[in-house]
Amino acid sequence: MKALEIRTEPAQKPQLGRADWLRAAMGCLMDDGIEAVQITRLATAIGASRGSFYWHFKSRQELLDGLLNEWFAVNGQRIKEVMDSADSLDQGILSFFAIWTNPAHFNAALEQAVRDWARLDDRVLAKVRGEDASRVAVITTLFERSGYAPQDADVRARVLYFAQVGYFAMNPDEAEKDRMSRLENYFFAFTGRELDEDLAASFRRDLEAFC
């Protein structure tokens, strides 16, 4: 008796969506800069056609706008949420520190890539400056809620925020344990107040568990 021939249908290729194109574009931006974010290159990378791209986006510019929106959502919104929900200055500042070390909450590579992009595009630069101002404003509000005068709160917020942005832009070769050994000193430099010992110990434990 002749064995029955079993035919199997070839597995269908998953249909790519807008999010797939954005994910590929984001990777391209972080790896090679904004000039590398080209439709043909992205299509090759994800195994799709240019026609598929134009099904989801009207133009490359719409894709670039989508990248900026991802940056706002991934990084900017998290900072604002943490500052708005902080119950105390100590908690707010420590939470601000923690954001930048947790890739689940903050994409440092994307942050740097967008800032590099802004140096080449005045339109993007304006949006980055607007976002920076928005972030500084919520940090200022935290200081004001903690009893600082408006101008003092504004200056301290700027020093804290610009120092953090600059730290990651420098990409220093510094072990996390060395940075954490300066935690209380950083806190005092930014706030003019002593950091609660129990909160500092808890922060270090949480960071060690995460790392």
Side-chain angles (χ1 to χ4, degrees):
M1 180 181 293
K2 186 177 180 180
L4 292 175
E5 183 179 354
I6 300 176
R7 296 183 179 180
T8 57
E9 295 294 330
Q12 290 188 343
K13 187 175 181 179
Q15 189 172 15
L16 297 173
R18 183 183 176 93
D20 297 295
W21 286 97
L22 280 169
R23 192 177 303 110
M26 190 182 298
C28 223
L29 173 67
M30 292 188 292
D31 291 342
D32 299 310
I34 192 59
E35 294 300 327
V37 183
Q38 301 294 335
I39 299 171
T40 300
R41 173 171 175 169
L42 296 176
T44 301
I46 65 177
S49 66
R50 288 175 62 89
S52 171
F53 173 84
Y54 286 108
W55 179 262
H56 299 290
F57 300 91
K58 294 178 181 178
S59 63
R60 178 175 180 266
Q61 185 58 56
E62 186 178 339
L63 173 70
L64 300 185
D65 291 343
L67 282 177
L68 281 178
N69 289 336
E70 287 294 307
W71 174 63
F72 288 131
V74 171
N75 287 0
Q77 191 58 37
R78 183 58 182 167
I79 290 175
K80 294 165 191 173
E81 287 173 355
V82 165
M83 294 296 99
D84 285 341
S85 63
D87 293 331
S88 67
L89 180 68
D90 294 38
Q91 182 192 52
I93 300 298
L94 290 180
S95 296
F96 180 77
F97 289 159
I99 289 171
W100 299 71
T101 60
N102 188 342
H105 294 158
F106 191 89
N107 189 328
L110 176 61
E111 185 77 12
Q112 190 57 46
V114 169
R115 293 183 183 280
D116 289 342
W117 178 11
R119 296 186 180 95
L120 305 174
D121 188 323
D122 288 342
R123 177 175 168 274
V124 176
L125 178 60
K127 289 185 177 294
V128 169
R129 285 176 173 170
E131 174 65 13
D132 284 337
S134 180
R135 294 178 186 181
V136 168
V138 295
I139 301 170
T140 300
T141 299
L142 172 67
F143 277 105
E144 289 179 339
R145 291 202 313 265
S146 303
Y148 293 80
Q151 186 172 11
D152 191 17
D154 174 68
V155 171
R156 289 185 183 279
R158 289 173 182 274
V159 171
L160 172 63
Y161 179 68
F162 295 154
Q164 196 69 24
V165 171
Y167 182 89
F168 277 87
M170 290 173 60
N171 193 24
D173 183 18
E174 181 182 36
E176 193 64 47
K177 66 176 182 179
D178 293 333
R179 191 176 186 210
M180 283 301 101
S181 71
R182 304 181 180 98
L183 178 62
E184 287 82 359
N185 303 90
Y186 277 131
F187 186 89
F188 185 81
F190 292 133
T191 67
R193 299 180 183 179
E194 300 290 343
L195 176 61
D196 181 89
E197 293 182 3
D198 292 337
L199 277 177
S202 175
F203 179 76
R204 285 192 170 96
R205 285 195 300 272
D206 290 345
L207 192 65
E208 289 174 3
F210 169 75
C211 295

